[in-house]
Amino acid sequence: MGTISNSTFVSLDGVVNHMDKWHFDYVDDESNELALEQLRAADAMLMGRKTYELYAGAWPGRDGKYADAINAISKYVASTTLSEPVWHNTSVLDGDLIEAVRALRAKDGTSILMHGYGPVAKALLQADLLDELHLWVHPHLAGVGDAGGLLIRPGLTKKLELTGTRTLSSGVVALTLRNPDA
């Protein structure tokens, strides 16, 4: 059985989007190295359509170790509207999300990394298909967004086990949480 890990940035007030308002002041060599470690530990990436569109518009034209790794890795995008992905090594998971991801996860030893914590990640956590959550908690109150852009979702209740912490010099605390039900 493979594993699915989600790595997402979050502000102190639970915001996971509008990163232009609160995230980029905390990007440095240390955070870049940790992000590269996570990416290199994965065999594939999984993302929702919005994250895919942002990444497909940004990463193919970049150079460097991280760009090389993210452009080369196999990518799966969960979407009912995307049919022709343009980013190299991308496959579309259409149809039932939970069944498609169960099939991916059933591949022995496959380690899948997700970026972004939107509807796809929340659905996978609810269905116990998300094994691990890496939260990069930023020491910043974002003060923006709406309920759809928050880490929490009414009705999503899940007890997670803290398995690691790492405090970066920027003040970001990287929490690693395991889903014991996955």
Side-chain angles (χ1 to χ4, degrees):
M1 180 76 61
T3 60
I4 300 176
S5 298
N6 178 287
S7 183
T8 198
F9 305 128
V10 60
S11 68
L12 279 179
D13 49 353
V15 176
V16 295
N17 58 17
H18 299 285
M19 291 191 298
D20 57 314
K21 306 284 188 204
W22 57 270
H23 164 69
F24 293 105
D25 287 343
Y26 301 94
V27 176
D28 58 18
D29 290 343
E30 185 180 24
S31 65
N32 288 338
E33 277 302 312
L34 181 55
L36 184 58
E37 278 177 37
Q38 289 179 347
L39 183 60
R40 285 184 172 161
D43 301 306
M45 288 190 72
L46 171 63
M47 56 199 105
R49 183 191 50 82
K50 289 181 182 178
T51 300
Y52 168 80
E53 287 176 347
L54 288 170
Y55 281 26
W59 287 109
R62 294 186 184 177
D63 296 323
K65 291 185 282 187
Y66 193 88
D68 292 346
I70 200 167
N71 286 319
I73 197 168
S74 295
K75 293 166 278 293
Y76 299 97
V77 58
S79 177
T80 57
T81 58
L82 181 68
S83 58
E84 299 291 327
V86 296
W87 195 7
H88 178 69
N89 285 342
T90 300
S91 301
V92 176
L93 300 177
D94 54 4
D96 184 75
L97 169 68
I98 300 304
E99 291 308 313
V101 172
R102 273 196 184 111
L104 276 180
R105 196 167 169 258
K107 296 179 182 180
D108 286 337
T110 301
S111 175
I112 299 170
L113 176 65
M114 289 189 73
H115 283 174
Y117 193 79
V120 172
K122 291 171 184 172
L124 296 182
L125 184 59
Q126 184 74 43
D128 290 326
L129 292 172
L130 190 60
D131 298 277
E132 197 170 57
L133 185 56
H134 301 279
L135 293 178
W136 301 55
V137 182
H138 291 56
H140 197 117
L141 295 168
V144 295
D146 57 23
L150 295 177
L151 184 68
I152 61 169
R153 181 183 84 195
L156 177 58
T157 301
K158 185 67 57 186
K159 183 176 182 178
L160 304 172
E161 296 174 355
L162 181 65
T163 60
T165 60
R166 179 172 171 184
T167 303
L168 306 182
S169 59
S170 65
V172 171
V173 178
L175 304 174
T176 300
L177 302 144
R178 187 179 77 78
N179 179 0
D181 299 322

